[in-house]
Amino acid sequence: MKIVIVGGVAGGASAAARARRLSESAEIILVERGSDPSFANCGMPYYVGGTIESRDKLLVSPVERLRQRYQLDVRIRESVESIDRKAKQVTIKRLDTGEEYTESYDKLILAPGAAPFRPPIPGIDLPGIYTLRNLDDADRLASATREAKRAVIIGAGFIGIEMAENLVHRGLETAVVELNTQILPPWDAEMIAPLETLLLEKGVSLHLGTQASEFRQAGDHLEVVLSNGEVLPADFVVLSIGVRPENMLAVNAELNVAQRGGIQVNAHQQTNDPDIYAVGDAIEVTEVVSGTPVQIPLAGPANRQGRIAADHIFGRDSKYRGTQGTAIVGLWKHGAAMTGLSEKVCQRMGLEYEKVYLHPGSHAGYYPGAKGMSIKVLFDPKSGRLLGGQIVGTESIDKRTDVLAMAIQAGMTVEDLEEAELCYAPQYGSAKDPVNMAGFIAAGAMRGDQPVAHSTALVQGELDDALLLDVRTPQEFADGAIDGAKNIPLDELRDHLDDLPKDQPIVAYCKVGQRGYMATRILLEHGFQARNLSGGYTTYMHVTATQPS
Amino acid sequence: MKIVIVGGVAGGASAAARARRLSESAEIILVERGSDPSFANCGMPYYVGGTIESRDKLLVSPVERLRQRYQLDVRIRESVESIDRKAKQVTIKRLDTGEEYTESYDKLILAPGAAPFRPPIPGIDLPGIYTLRNLDDADRLASATREAKRAVIIGAGFIGIEMAENLVHRGLETAVVELNTQILPPWDAEMIAPLETLLLEKGVSLHLGTQASEFRQAGDHLEVVLSNGEVLPADFVVLSIGVRPENMLAVNAELNVAQRGGIQVNAHQQTNDPDIYAVGDAIEVTEVVSGTPVQIPLAGPANRQGRIAADHIFGRDSKYRGTQGTAIVGLWKHGAAMTGLSEKVCQRMGLEYEKVYLHPGSHAGYYPGAKGMSIKVLFDPKSGRLLGGQIVGTESIDKRTDVLAMAIQAGMTVEDLEEAELCYAPQYGSAKDPVNMAGFIAAGAMRGDQPVAHSTALVQGELDDALLLDVRTPQEFADGAIDGAKNIPLDELRDHLDDLPKDQPIVAYCKVGQRGYMATRILLEHGFQARNLSGGYTTYMHVTATQPS
């Protein structure tokens, strides 16, 4: 068995290692265009920022180990230029000499990855406009940060946001430009609002809802001209507006490629040529919750796909189950995590969904050090099946998101979240864990125990007929409340039922939704048409912070 | 509807709050023997130790709020003395006056909890021998710690271990006595070994495999006489050798009670009298993995049971699914977590099981601050169904245990763990998360890709026929290795295959199992009878540390 693998890093290197574990006799050739066939690309922003001090730390498996331990024929600085499917051979170019040669294969695995998108705008090729794909890029950026004072980051996705933290950490004046009206587009805008505030607090200047229309040289520095007319000075620019699957090899070999550019594969990672597999960021995957094809570049899935391709080559029935989009990004001590579908994706797909918000503590409030977090859970309002979850905060947001990720993988419902039995000691959690609380609230909404109203609907005028009832204390109410709300503190509510209308919908709210829930229960039991504003005033503030003015 | 609830805290208070949310008109009487119907009993050791500074922090819901917000008829310092099932009434005693009266009920909820066991040994009633059940106990202990210099803790379960940390934190010379040959008996001994080492490092004197046979006064202090003849001086003693369900009310009312003392209930929490429910530490529950009845006192389950009892009273079909024994205990910055069955329980039940060990990092090794942890996963060797998991370490052991807990709840297999899609950014995890790694290793063992051998079998002489092959570096080998092992570093293994026997089983090992895995694959592919020592030399050291000498 002779296997040629195009591209290293996550998918290609995993496939190579797995193939060797399954066969000592296979000939395994790993062709890598760059110098490093196996490095930790997710660590690069932190190497640029200096948190990861040494470049060597990013080398997951040095070439020598791949050759020695895994007996791989590693060919670095070589590029596969074309595939001859009939002859089952590839043409490889030695990048240092330009020389070309052919290599036959029994099985070919494509792991070419995805390339940072460079938009065709004036000045895009000026020096000082960087992308971040490999260690050479990281070296260039790291050395640029040492001399520069001002940087502009184009694109506020994962890499853009991580670069913002790291450039501030290096002492640079940093601006971020993002075409969307929010940072981190995979998340819903209101969830991300606290991180936008955090970026501003850290001195990052945020330019949302606009884009770079031109880059130009201005003496010793660059200028980034925005479509809104603003001009941002910069000693260098980081382009991080997304990636495009490297599909040219596949396209030229007439392998099936999706409209978004991803190479199409079956569950065994085979392309339409059964001897050619494809894995990693270059392929189209199936989103598991909705069953729709998507382009989601993530390291974990790339590793699994590489493993599955190797398994199948050696006669095993391993199948990729699809990607559910579990992701996390850190920002100083804060972070945002998600799994499954966002609300905007549910809307785009026309899926029926309900959502709830909550703002629990990371562990029992009576033990020191508990930190707040915001959770949003999306679910099918009929079956209760969990569709997605998003969590923003400081402590243990990864833990609760991983729990939700398992629930989605298992096809569980919000009622299963109510019953989840999770670790509880006061340093670690609560007897009613945030995940249980999310289940209680969501299942309560589904069963009609706790009908919910939403701040998103409120700001869009959809609740104009309702009486807004603020059940917080007079002090909290005085410190800031929703326009037009009437204040009756929860503990006085039963004494003021006669002051409330039975023929008008009532939306109760408190700070986070807990007292609002009790108020809603009291009102419903007394025959009022009540709903609880999910996530309370806290979510309301997040929603209004992100409304385009 | 008139509901009488016997006992507050987790189960009783949850039932009361839920009942009120479901009905504004119900009459709800909560009878609590102590002064505080709703307090955080899991926080008490940390209040004694001073980490939680104020007693008020432990009051989850003050009496006033229960009365005002939940309109509960809270009767503190009153005790339900008997139940007249025919007349549907209880006799209640006012503890301060001794006066008794009767109260009728439509539905009765028993949430009496469990009482610390006081063994009938000489001197047990001497002053200075404390238990820790309620806030008055905590106050007494907190004040004892302020004057004392030496304390002896009897019992190394959750409370005993937490008290050890907190007494050391208060500056006391602390000894712990435990009848088992390990601390924290719910866990398997080898997993807990690092925490025993930690306790010793913190200056705690550990007396395992022995018990107190007598307490006696010796001048101004106490003496604890152990069954092994040792005598430990103490200014006070903490008794924490487990709890016994408070079942006298139930027994006297002829409600069904299990042999271990737990009140027996159905999935709706009903006793054999359909108008009497029971919840919390006083009841017997079904362990979900094995389906067997057990006695597991935990706060999360108690809360859920209280909720379910109230639901059912108001006509809902809520059912308790059983308890899976998810638990965690912190010890300085370390901790031990578990979910599902331990190996010793699997053995006791005669269940067929396989196990694997691993020692992954808390997050990507290339990002600073990753901490090690030890994981043990138990599974059905035929179906791969997850039976249990245990994790010991410092960072994010709760996260991985919660993920395993969800997998157990969903009835998932170790192959599902391979496919789990969890949060990955370098600060938070790894592209191959420890949970994925556990899945890879367990599924590899199940499929025969990676047959495993165990240090537990090794020390019991069951692998005496095998060649032990240490594939670490010569330096690692020189620093300490298993007796009789032959050292061939992994990267030289292929060159030394001729030196190895084909007719003898080979057990390969490295530090944690990763190189041992690769060695096993190479050997199997070349026709040797190889297995990998699961968890490597690290697990071997844990196992030998806990072998009774």
Side-chain angles (χ1 to χ4, degrees), chain A residues 21 24 46 68-69 316 321 324-326 398-399 402 416 421 423 427 449 491 494 521, chain B residues 21 24 46 68-69 316 321 324-326 398-399 402 416 421 423 427 449 491 494 521 526:
Chain A
R21 284 195 210 99
E24 276 288 292
Y46 302 93
Q68 176 66 32
R69 185 168 299 174
R316 289 160 186 247
R321 299 179 180 182
Q324 65 187 61
T326 307
D398 52 337
K399 173 165 86 164
D402 281 356
D416 292 318
E421 190 180 310
C423 289
Q427 315 91 312
D449 288 346
D491 288 340
R494 288 187 185 89
R521 288 304 310 160
Chain B
R21 287 198 207 96
E24 276 288 293
Y46 302 94
Q68 174 66 30
R69 185 168 297 174
R316 289 161 184 247
R321 297 179 181 182
Q324 65 186 63
T326 307
D398 51 337
K399 174 165 86 164
D402 281 357
D416 294 316
E421 190 180 311
C423 290
Q427 314 91 313
D449 288 347
D491 289 341
R494 288 186 185 89
R521 289 302 311 160
H526 286 281

Side-chain angles (χ1 to χ4, degrees), chain B residues 83-97:
Chain B
I83 306 168
D84 182 340
R85 286 169 54 188
K86 222 170 201 171
K88 291 183 75 172
Q89 64 182 31
V90 291
T91 302
I92 303 177
K93 184 198 259 185
R94 295 200 172 93
L95 296 179
D96 294 331
T97 62

Side-chain angles (χ1 to χ4, degrees), chain A residues 14 18 20-24 40 42-43 46 51-52 57-58 68-71 298-301 303-304 307 316 321-330 334-335 337 366-368 398-399 401-403 405-407 409-410 412 415-428 431-432 440 447 449 490-491 494 515 517-518 521-522 525-526, chain B residues 14 18 20-24 40 42-43 46 51-52 57-58 68-71 298-301 303-304 307 316 321-330 334-335 337 366-368 398-399 401-403 405-407 409-410 412 415-428 431-432 440 447 449 490-491 494 515 517-518 521-522 525-526:
Chain A
S14 288
R18 178 69 173 170
R20 176 58 69 224
R21 284 195 210 99
L22 295 179
S23 167
E24 276 288 292
C42 299
Y46 302 93
T51 300
I52 296 172
K57 292 249 179 207
L58 296 178
Q68 176 66 32
R69 185 168 299 174
Y70 293 94
Q71 297 282 301
L298 286 170
N303 279 308
R304 294 209 300 284
R307 209 179 142 85
R316 289 160 186 247
R321 299 179 180 182
T323 299
Q324 65 187 61
T326 307
I328 190 165
V329 60
H334 295 65
Y366 64 82
Y367 191 89
D398 52 337
K399 173 165 86 164
T401 305
D402 281 356
V403 168
M406 292 303 283
Q409 185 187 351
M412 291 169 112
E415 290 180 317
D416 292 318
L417 300 185
E418 294 185 279
E419 301 300 321
E421 190 180 310
L422 304 170
C423 289
Y424 166 50
Q427 315 91 312
Y428 295 101
K432 292 171 187 157
F440 293 146
R447 292 188 291 247
D449 288 346
L490 172 59
D491 288 340
R494 288 187 185 89
R515 282 170 290 174
Y517 168 38
M518 188 66 202
R521 288 304 310 160
I522 293 172
E525 282 288 304
H526 286 282
Chain B
S14 288
R18 178 68 174 171
R20 174 58 70 224
R21 287 198 207 96
L22 295 178
S23 167
E24 276 288 293
C42 299
Y46 302 94
T51 300
I52 296 172
K57 293 249 180 205
L58 296 178
Q68 174 66 30
R69 185 168 297 174
Y70 293 94
Q71 298 282 303
L298 286 169
N303 279 306
R304 296 209 299 286
R307 213 179 140 84
R316 289 161 184 247
R321 297 179 181 182
T323 299
Q324 65 186 63
T326 307
I328 191 166
V329 61
H334 297 63
Y366 63 82
Y367 190 91
D398 51 337
K399 174 165 86 164
T401 305
D402 281 357
V403 168
M406 291 304 283
Q409 186 186 351
M412 290 168 112
E415 291 181 315
D416 294 316
L417 299 186
E418 294 185 278
E419 302 299 322
E421 190 180 311
L422 305 171
C423 290
Y424 166 50
Q427 314 91 313
Y428 295 101
K432 292 170 187 157
F440 293 146
R447 291 188 293 248
D449 288 347
L490 172 59
D491 289 341
R494 288 186 185 89
R515 283 170 290 174
Y517 167 38
M518 187 68 201
R521 289 302 311 160
I522 292 170
E525 282 289 304
H526 286 281

Side-chain angles (χ1 to χ4, degrees), chain A residues 463-533:
Chain A
L463 301 177
D464 285 355
D465 60 334
L467 171 71
L468 268 175
L469 181 66
D470 188 321
V471 298
R472 298 176 300 163
T473 64
Q475 184 61 55
E476 287 176 282
F477 185 72
D479 289 345
I482 302 176
D483 273 356
K486 179 186 179 79
N487 180 223
I488 305 177
L490 172 59
D491 288 340
E492 294 165 26
L493 181 59
R494 288 187 185 89
D495 303 328
H496 290 83
L497 295 176
D498 291 345
D499 306 344
L500 294 171
K502 287 225 163 154
D503 55 354
Q504 187 188 1
I506 299 175
V507 172
Y509 76 89
C510 62
K511 186 178 171 197
V512 295
Q514 205 167 10
R515 282 170 290 174
Y517 168 38
M518 188 66 202
T520 301
R521 288 304 310 160
I522 293 172
L523 292 170
L524 287 172
E525 282 288 304
H526 286 282
F528 294 90
Q529 309 163 40
R531 280 185 289 169
N532 184 21
L533 190 70

